[in-house]
Amino acid sequence: QAFQISAKIGTLREPGNFFFGYNFKHLQKDANISYFVDDLLEGTDVQAHEGIFGIKICSNTVISANFQARNGIKVPGNTTYTFRAHLIQSF
């Protein structure tokens, strides 16, 4: 069993617009991780809390960042923190 719950406030329609988001990801031991292929979950039996922020700085450019805290489900251990920054340029 695997699921993700997401919430987002804001939009990136025009320059200066921004958004904030939150994701909760839960992958049990026997879950198929193919739906989370773009993630840093590194396997199954994990859950993660993720905060996301993005801003459209001009008509073709978006800067965004996300922060993820990942931990085991059945065997909680050390929480792993990941920060990613993105620059998206459309042509």
Side-chain angles (χ1 to χ4, degrees):
Q1 180 179 14
F3 63 89
Q4 175 175 319
I5 299 170
S6 301
K8 184 173 118 176
I9 298 172
T11 183
L12 297 178
R13 290 186 186 140
E14 299 177 17
N17 290 160
F18 60 92
F19 74 90
F20 291 101
Y22 169 79
N23 296 322
F24 174 74
K25 300 172 182 181
H26 180 95
L27 281 84
Q28 291 183 348
K29 184 176 181 178
D30 296 329
N32 182 344
I33 64 171
S34 64
Y35 293 110
F36 298 90
V37 70
D38 66 336
D39 216 300
L40 297 173
L41 293 175
E42 297 179 359
T44 59
D45 190 35
V46 295
Q47 63 184 10
H49 298 273
E50 186 174 78
I52 305 166
F53 170 77
I55 186 166
K56 189 167 193 170
I57 58 174
C58 64
S59 62
N60 296 331
T61 307
V62 173
I63 295 176
S64 66
N66 61 345
F67 178 79
Q68 185 183 81
R70 176 177 46 93
N71 205 340
I73 297 171
K74 289 186 178 180
V75 184
N78 296 330
T79 302
T80 303
Y81 300 97
T82 305
F83 176 80
R84 292 184 280 183
H86 311 274
L87 173 65
I88 302 164
Q89 179 69 48
S90 60
F91 297 95

